[in-house]
Amino acid sequence: MTPAGSLLAATGLRKAYGPTTALDGAEFSVHPGEVVAVMGPSGSGKSTLLHCLAGIVRPDAGSVTYDGRDLLAMSDAERSALRRGEFGFVFQFGRLVPELTCVENTALPLRLAGLKRKKAEARAMEWLERLEVADARDKRPAEVSGGQGQRVAVARALVTTPRVVFADEPTGALDSLNGERVMELLTAAARDTHAAVVLVTHEARVAAYSDREVIVRDGRARDMAGVGRP
Amino acid sequence: MSIGHTLLGLLETGPRHGYDLKRAFDARFGQDRPLHYGQVYSTMSRLLKNGLVEVEGIEQGEGPDRKRYAITDAGITDVERWLVQPEKPEPYLQSTLYTKVVLALLTGRDAAGLLDAQRSEHLRLMRGLTERKRSGDLADQLICDHALFHLEADLRWLELTAARLDQLGKTVRP
């Protein structure tokens, strides 16, 4: 059963890597415009959960439903199209293409979707401005600071106005001031575009930018909404 | 820290005399501040009056109080309620949280769940502070940051404790 109104939901997810169980019946759901933090100790299955939700990793059992569609029943091509057009990704280390400038990096998802260079870069510039890194437009990733690079990565994730943003430890490599600014800009932009955010983090200060948290432990996910409230 | 609830939790593992209770409390939780006998007896008489404990027997012998106390069903419910209800986040909470975790392990309750609920309570407050920071001026930001760093320190302790629950469980219930 998919929770009512959810954009992305998973039930009974199981995934093992050889003898190691990463997910053991995990449940998850996120609504449009909602920021959900996925927390838990290292090795608890947080990243595997994110990868299953994003259609990057195929679970051994269980189901993932995105906007009423069964993600696991889609062909590889359909899933790739979904990841390019409707999902955005931010990783711990920006993973920008080193040979491309910051504006080219940001425009890349639009170019892959077939948009002409000029239009794609114009839209990319809007996002670089919004993320306060317009100055970096013609620099290559190696020429900007870690904080700037991560903002470019966030701009790239948001440039297609995705409906779900997956962020895996997006501030893990940043100092706290830069990390907080990235979180502020990411969550504000996601809320404005009504995108859902799945935010994997082990940092409480980062999780404090979410609407609710899900705790993953021993491959199971516990939704903490309302827990401990009288 | 609630001495009443702590003594009740210790009683849940089996009936004890007043002096046994004091010894058990001091051994587990009284490293810095052992209980006075007076505190034990005044607490026990309050718990007795409220129906949370009962006197199972009185022995003749030395010492001021030879009553053997047992927890009642109402007492068990009271311990349960206290353990499940997260603490209001505030400085130097760790002794209360430590006590709750040890009592949960001693009485076979879900200590990990207790820590999860407490993490949520902390995060709830941190969300409020983060929101205030977002909409506030620099002074607001600095004041909220101070509170946030303290709450974060509590949470780091909490995560470390969660990671060591199995180990702690073996110490508490060898």
Side-chain angles (χ1 to χ4, degrees):
Chain A
M1 260 268 300
T2 303
S6 66
L7 177 60
L8 179 66
T11 52
L13 286 186
R14 285 176 201 286
K15 178 72 190 172
Y17 296 103
T20 311
T21 302
L23 292 178
D24 186 17
E27 315 278 322
F28 182 87
S29 71
V30 62
H31 289 71
E34 192 185 27
V35 181
V36 178
V38 179
M39 304 182 78
S42 325
S44 60
K46 300 188 294 284
S47 292
T48 303
L49 174 63
L50 182 137
H51 291 152
C52 286
L53 291 170
I56 297 170
V57 163
R58 192 178 183 84
D60 301 332
S63 72
V64 181
T65 312
Y66 167 71
D67 201 16
R69 287 178 282 166
D70 181 354
L71 205 69
L72 304 177
M74 290 179 188
S75 67
D76 285 349
E78 285 173 314
R79 258 198 308 276
S80 293
L82 195 70
R83 281 200 298 269
R84 258 201 326 268
E86 302 193 33
F87 293 173
F89 295 89
V90 187
F91 301 98
Q92 181 169 357
F93 302 101
R95 295 199 197 168
L96 299 170
V97 182
E99 292 83 3
L100 300 181
T101 64
C102 287
V103 73
E104 287 166 343
N105 263 290
T106 310
L108 192 57
L110 297 173
R111 299 280 288 139
L112 289 172
L115 209 64
K116 293 268 190 267
R117 183 189 174 114
K118 207 169 166 184
K119 268 194 171 174
E121 292 195 358
R123 204 184 301 170
M125 270 317 291
E126 288 170 25
W127 281 100
L128 289 178
E129 276 162 25
R130 178 154 191 175
L131 271 297
E132 304 168 342
V133 278
D135 293 353
R137 63 167 295 162
D138 296 323
K139 293 183 179 162
R140 292 201 160 68
E143 298 166 330
V144 301
S145 70
Q148 285 177 313
Q150 198 61 340
R151 288 176 199 207
V152 174
V154 172
R156 183 184 58 183
L158 293 169
V159 75
T160 55
T161 40
R163 295 183 69 198
V164 186
V165 177
F166 296 94
D168 194 352
E169 303 282 5
T171 63
L174 302 180
D175 62 58
S176 52
L177 206 57
N178 261 305
E180 298 229 0
R181 193 70 192 134
V182 163
M183 281 314 298
E184 252 175 61
L185 295 167
L186 169 62
T187 50
R191 287 201 169 98
D192 288 351
T193 57
H194 216 54
V197 180
V198 182
L199 167 69
V200 169
T201 183
H202 69 281
E203 289 180 79
R205 285 166 67 82
V206 171
Y209 284 89
S210 67
D211 298 306
R212 67 184 160 91
E213 76 277 11
V214 165
I215 306 298
V216 183
R217 191 185 307 111
D218 301 331
R220 289 171 173 273
R222 183 179 184 202
D223 189 336
M224 297 306 291
V227 170
R229 298 273 88 189
Chain B
M1 180 166 57
S2 168
I3 292 171
H5 284 117
T6 310
L7 294 180
L8 268 182
L10 287 172
L11 271 183
E12 198 181 325
T13 62
R16 291 171 196 258
H17 294 99
Y19 65 85
D20 277 345
L21 268 176
K22 176 197 151 39
R23 283 216 308 253
F25 181 98
D26 289 350
R28 290 194 189 277
F29 312 116
Q31 286 85 350
D32 303 326
R33 278 176 298 172
L35 279 184
H36 296 295
Y37 279 109
Q39 278 175 290
V40 178
Y41 299 124
S42 62
T43 306
M44 292 319 290
S45 60
R46 179 169 55 79
L47 296 177
L48 201 56
K49 203 174 87 189
N50 294 336
L52 303 177
V53 298
E54 59 195 7
V55 175
E56 207 190 48
I58 301 176
E59 289 169 19
Q60 301 302 317
E62 289 173 24
D65 189 344
R66 301 294 294 172
K67 286 177 189 154
R68 193 174 157 83
Y69 297 100
I71 193 166
T72 62
D73 288 345
I76 291 174
T77 307
D78 204 48
V79 173
E80 173 74 21
R81 200 181 304 131
W82 179 63
L83 288 179
V84 166
Q85 177 70 45
E87 294 294 316
K88 187 169 174 287
E90 58 190 8
Y92 308 110
L93 196 56
Q94 71 280 15
S95 64
T96 305
L97 290 182
Y98 172 76
T99 303
K100 281 188 162 189
V101 168
V102 170
L103 286 177
L105 290 169
L106 266 178
T107 56
R109 288 183 171 91
D110 179 11
L114 184 159
L115 290 172
D116 282 348
Q118 189 62 51
R119 183 196 295 103
S120 275
E121 191 68 15
H122 270 66
L123 275 175
R124 208 183 315 278
L125 184 57
M126 290 179 79
R127 283 193 184 98
L129 289 163
T130 301
E131 193 48 48
R132 207 178 120 192
K133 217 170 81 166
R134 213 200 289 251
S135 52
D137 58 14
L138 184 60
D140 268 331
Q141 287 172 20
L142 291 173
I143 288 165
C144 290
D145 270 334
H146 185 262
L148 281 164
F149 278 119
H150 278 270
L151 289 164
E152 190 187 27
D154 276 353
L155 279 180
R156 290 175 77 159
W157 176 86
L158 193 144
E159 301 299 352
L160 208 64
T161 307
R164 290 173 174 166
L165 271 184
D166 287 348
Q167 204 184 336
L168 184 61
K170 282 178 196 144
T171 322
V172 168
R173 299 180 81 169

